[in-house]
Amino acid sequence: MKLRILVVEDNALNLELVTDLLEANGFEVLPAQTAEVGIELARRCAPDLVLMDVSLPGLDGLAATKALRANPETRHLPIIALTAHAMKGDEQVALDAGCDGYLSKPIDTRSFGSKVADFIAAAHARRKVLVAATHYAN
Ligand code: MN
């Protein structure tokens, strides 16, 4: 079964580019152009990874990440911020909001697919450790 990635990105061209790259790398894409739609899809579809644009109209990507972290149904989802500002400090802001990592835009089309695969693998490994720790504690 294909891994499913929720992409929250308001810019139609960026969304199309990211979708094309992910599909070319064998992923299935759930697109959302607003945080509100993204949060709803995250709840309903339990994707393997969320790629979250930081800059969105209305609720922004950081607020959306906090909302996902606050909901028991979605709190475990791996979330990677897509940050347009290659400014020092923005990455830390994304991590502080609850993102597991970040990728800066413009996207490097050659390495994007493998970076996404690495994030998913790392998230799965982390979850296994958590499950093992919980089992041990009990
Ligand atoms: Mn944006």
Side-chain angles (χ1 to χ4, degrees):
M1 207 170 95
K2 288 185 176 183
L3 294 173
R4 284 188 307 174
I5 302 180
L6 170 61
V7 181
V8 187
E9 165 64 83
D10 61 310
N11 181 288
L13 284 177
N14 280 342
L15 181 58
E16 192 180 334
L17 171 66
V18 169
T19 298
D20 287 348
L21 284 171
L22 292 173
E23 288 179 351
N25 281 275
F27 298 107
E28 188 181 323
V29 173
L30 302 164
Q33 285 193 265
T34 66
E36 291 79 358
V37 171
I39 289 168
E40 178 61 23
L41 281 176
R43 280 188 48 241
R44 287 216 322 260
C45 306
D48 295 284
L49 181 74
V50 181
L51 287 175
M52 180 72 78
D53 182 22
V54 170
S55 178
L56 296 167
L59 203 59
D60 70 21
L62 301 177
T65 296
K66 288 177 186 166
L68 292 174
R69 291 292 178 243
N71 184 337
E73 292 175 291
T74 54
R75 106 176 352 154
H76 64 283
L77 295 177
I79 304 174
I80 301 303
L82 292 174
T83 168
H85 340 266
M87 308 251 306
K88 279 240 183 290
D90 282 359
E91 290 86 357
Q92 193 56 49
V93 171
L95 297 178
D96 290 345
C99 294
D100 300 292
Y102 54 84
L103 290 170
S104 47
K105 296 193 278 188
I107 284 159
D108 178 351
T109 55
R110 286 169 308 170
S111 64
F112 186 69
S114 62
K115 280 183 180 168
V116 167
D118 287 348
F119 275 122
I120 293 175
H124 283 182
R126 206 166 49 236
R127 203 177 308 168
K128 263 183 212 156
V129 169
L130 279 177
V131 169
T134 306
H135 183 71
Y136 184 75
N138 291 338

